[in-house]
Amino acid sequence: MPAKDHIFKRFDEELTELAGQIAEMGGMAEKMVADSILALVRMDTVLAQKIIGSDGRVDRLEKEVEEKAVLMIAQRQPMANDLREIMAAMKISADLERVGDLAKNISKRVIAINSPFAAKKLVIGVEHLSEIALDQLKNVLDAYSARDAAGAAAVRQRDDEIDALYTSLFRELLTYMMEDPRNITFCTHLLFVAKNIERIGDHATNIAETVQYLVTGEQPTDNRPKSDMSSLTNVEFKGDK
Amino acid sequence: MPAKDHIFKRFDEELTELAGQIAEMGGMAEKMVADSILALVRMDTVLAQKIIGSDGRVDRLEKEVEEKAVLMIAQRQPMANDLREIMAAMKISADLERVGDLAKNISKRVIAINSPFAAKKLVIGVEHLSEIALDQLKNVLDAYSARDAAGAAAVRQRDDEIDALYTSLFRELLTYMMEDPRNITFCTHLLFVAKNIERIGDHATNIAETVQYLVTGEQPTDNRPKSDMSSLTNVEFKGDK
């Protein structure tokens, strides 16, 4: 085949490899999140340790994606669509790296809690929150693979649900702490776990925006719904007197 | 002058513009952080509202930097050093956008707390933490302007201090909550404020790594010191019985 076609073919292969690395990172990040919640629900500190140990692989993959992306831009000098592909891969890998970090942080808190005292009811709330976040993560990675702008838009819309649930969980945890000071340490860790899950939802939303940009060539400009009111939450203390 | 020199000159101007936008974003982010802590210390909800309103400008600047960067890569097809300049600008602007978000979040919590009941002693701890974080932010922006790899390395080393201080503050806040349940809502917000400041320190560290990469052409590989042990903290409840 002509030399030019050969160069194009090699470039396409590199793009496919890059997308493959994103898919691999996505799978790893999803698993880390799912496992960290499992570790929390079962108070499984061995699993938690395993997750903490696996975060390095996600970090290394991000660095690899970034290095490969910069090299591709420098060597191939891609235009328009191809450049967008590469930029999108870099952005998505940065979000996935943060998702891995958040799962690692949840795992560290499981080790800190390490007590069967965990109130089942509250953990269920956190578990439910994580199910939606994982769903969002899965859907947005599917949208990336399929270059599906509508799928990505749906993920952005649904972030609202996570935020609203997080706010109500925040309120519930505060109330629980006030009822019995012995719950404070445990509930504080759960508060941060819930916050981490809410942040994982935010990263799914970021990725959704990147997918929309990748497919349409434009940054979405409509404002995303916002229902995380937890930072505005003030639960009045009703005990004692 | 010859057409080629003209193109180079224009490209250099664009690079200078890009660095100027980063400096502008940096200044805005620094001010937002300083103001958010001032709002907390003074319980000034009007200032807090103002900060929340100003975050949009930082977000817009980030999008501008990104669009300009992608355009420069596509049109100018820069190599090596110049490409690194552009990539670094994109990464730093993403970190600064997050710093702005974190300052906004602190401001929201000031509005949520909105009570003179705030324990001075605890707020002082948060204030001290923020001074170091602001120092780090200032130093790393200086290191970026001066292309100073040693300055950036010093910022990375000092993140340790923020982490250690945050961990001790976390512990202190938990103890305070246990002493009197009426402190719970206030202290929970302070916990998240402290966490936000610790995250601002992390972003300063990220920027430091980007500056090192920009100047040396290599990602720093040595492991940064890590002293945030708060997620491993378990303060035992000693009250009641």
Side-chain angles (χ1 to χ4, degrees):
Chain A
M1 77 181 108
K4 208 172 168 190
D5 284 0
H6 181 76
I7 289 172
F8 285 147
K9 186 164 175 289
R10 182 69 200 109
F11 184 68
D12 278 345
E13 283 167 6
E14 282 176 1
L15 278 181
T16 308
E17 271 169 37
L18 203 61
Q21 276 178 306
I22 297 296
E24 188 185 346
M25 277 187 85
M28 283 166 65
E30 274 185 275
K31 187 165 164 42
M32 283 178 75
V33 175
D35 282 353
S36 69
I37 300 302
L38 200 65
L40 176 74
V41 172
R42 298 187 186 161
M43 272 301 143
D44 181 346
T45 55
V46 177
L47 180 57
Q49 277 296 2
K50 214 182 116 195
I51 298 159
I52 294 168
S54 68
D55 185 51
R57 278 176 58 206
V58 180
D59 290 356
R60 275 194 301 280
L61 263 175
E62 193 217 352
K63 288 225 188 305
E64 272 177 43
V65 166
E66 194 179 307
E67 274 161 24
K68 180 181 279 185
V70 174
L71 210 64
M72 281 174 77
I73 296 174
Q75 291 179 339
R76 310 284 182 184
Q77 311 196 327
M79 306 289 282
N81 284 0
D82 289 340
L83 182 56
R84 222 153 58 213
E85 281 282 343
I86 298 173
M87 302 309 279
M90 281 180 66
K91 288 181 78 130
I92 295 174
S93 79
D95 278 304
L96 291 174
E97 189 267 334
R98 276 298 299 152
V99 170
D101 273 356
L102 291 161
K104 182 171 80 169
N105 196 278
I106 293 171
S107 306
K108 283 188 188 172
R109 292 193 186 275
V110 171
I111 293 169
I113 298 171
N114 190 18
S115 131
F117 170 61
K120 208 66 198 166
K121 188 185 116 198
L122 293 169
V123 176
I124 287 168
V126 173
E127 200 181 2
H128 181 48
L129 190 68
S130 75
E131 278 161 11
I132 307 177
L134 272 169
D135 224 35
Q136 290 278 83
L137 205 53
K138 187 191 169 302
N139 290 341
V140 83
L141 290 168
D142 287 348
Y144 171 66
S145 297
R147 302 293 184 269
D148 171 9
V155 169
R156 282 184 79 217
Q157 287 307 315
R158 205 184 164 197
D159 189 51
D160 203 27
E161 200 180 319
I162 295 187
D163 288 347
L165 197 61
Y166 168 68
T167 303
S168 89
L169 200 59
F170 183 91
R171 187 176 281 273
E172 204 179 342
L173 284 164
L174 282 193
T175 310
Y176 204 75
M177 284 154 96
M178 287 167 184
E179 278 168 21
D180 187 344
R182 279 167 300 186
N183 297 330
I184 288 175
T185 297
F186 169 66
C187 285
T188 301
H189 284 302
L190 271 194
L191 271 175
F192 277 97
V193 168
K195 183 72 197 169
N196 286 343
I197 297 169
E198 187 261 342
R199 289 291 306 150
I200 290 167
D202 285 346
H203 286 288
T205 304
N206 289 349
I207 297 173
E209 287 174 11
T210 304
V211 172
Q212 285 183 292
Y213 159 75
L214 174 61
V215 179
T216 66
E218 276 170 32
Q219 304 273 3
T221 51
D222 56 307
N223 279 323
R224 192 173 69 75
K226 253 295 172 202
S227 302
D228 169 13
M229 295 294 170
S230 77
S231 56
L232 295 170
T233 295
N234 202 334
V235 175
E236 216 178 305
F237 177 67
K238 297 229 175 56
D240 263 349
K241 56 181 172 195
Chain B
M1 78 181 108
K4 207 172 170 189
D5 284 1
H6 181 76
I7 289 172
F8 284 147
K9 187 163 174 288
R10 182 69 201 108
F11 184 69
D12 278 346
E13 283 168 6
E14 283 176 0
L15 278 182
T16 307
E17 272 170 36
L18 202 62
Q21 276 178 306
I22 298 295
E24 189 186 345
M25 277 187 85
M28 284 167 64
E30 274 185 274
K31 187 166 164 39
M32 284 178 74
V33 175
D35 282 352
S36 69
I37 300 301
L38 200 65
L40 176 75
V41 172
R42 298 187 185 159
M43 272 301 143
D44 182 344
T45 56
V46 176
L47 179 57
Q49 276 297 0
K50 214 181 116 195
I51 299 159
I52 293 168
S54 68
D55 185 51
R57 278 176 58 208
V58 180
D59 290 356
R60 274 194 300 280
L61 263 176
E62 193 217 353
K63 288 225 188 306
E64 271 176 44
V65 166
E66 192 179 308
E67 274 162 24
K68 180 180 280 185
V70 174
L71 211 63
M72 282 174 77
I73 296 174
Q75 291 179 339
R76 310 282 181 185
Q77 312 196 325
M79 304 290 282
N81 286 0
D82 289 339
L83 182 58
R84 220 152 60 212
E85 281 283 343
I86 299 173
M87 302 309 279
M90 282 181 65
K91 287 182 79 130
I92 294 173
S93 79
D95 278 303
L96 291 174
E97 188 267 334
R98 277 298 298 152
V99 170
D101 273 356
L102 292 161
K104 183 171 81 170
N105 197 278
I106 292 172
S107 307
K108 283 190 189 171
R109 291 193 187 274
V110 170
I111 293 169
I113 297 170
N114 191 18
S115 133
F117 170 62
K120 207 67 197 164
K121 187 186 117 200
L122 293 170
V123 176
I124 287 169
V126 172
E127 201 180 1
H128 181 48
L129 191 68
S130 74
E131 278 161 10
I132 307 177
L134 272 170
D135 224 34
Q136 289 278 83
L137 205 52
K138 186 191 169 302
N139 291 342
V140 83
L141 290 168
D142 287 348
Y144 171 65
S145 298
R147 302 294 184 270
D148 171 9
V155 169
R156 282 184 79 216
Q157 286 307 314
R158 205 184 165 198
D159 189 51
D160 203 26
E161 200 181 319
I162 295 187
D163 288 346
L165 197 60
Y166 167 67
T167 303
S168 89
L169 200 59
F170 183 92
R171 187 176 282 273
E172 205 179 340
L173 283 164
L174 281 194
T175 310
Y176 204 75
M177 285 154 93
M178 286 167 186
E179 279 169 21
D180 187 343
R182 278 167 302 187
N183 296 330
I184 288 175
T185 297
F186 168 65
C187 285
T188 301
H189 285 302
L190 271 195
L191 271 176
F192 277 98
V193 168
K195 182 71 198 171
N196 286 343
I197 298 169
E198 187 261 343
R199 288 293 305 152
I200 290 167
D202 284 347
H203 286 288
T205 304
N206 289 350
I207 297 173
E209 288 174 10
T210 304
V211 172
Q212 286 184 292
Y213 159 75
L214 173 61
V215 179
T216 66
E218 275 170 33
Q219 305 274 3
T221 51
D222 56 306
N223 278 322
R224 193 172 67 75
K226 253 297 171 200
S227 300
D228 169 13
M229 295 294 171
S230 77
S231 56
L232 294 170
T233 294
N234 202 335
V235 176
E236 215 177 306
F237 177 68
K238 296 227 176 59
D240 263 348
K241 57 179 180 193

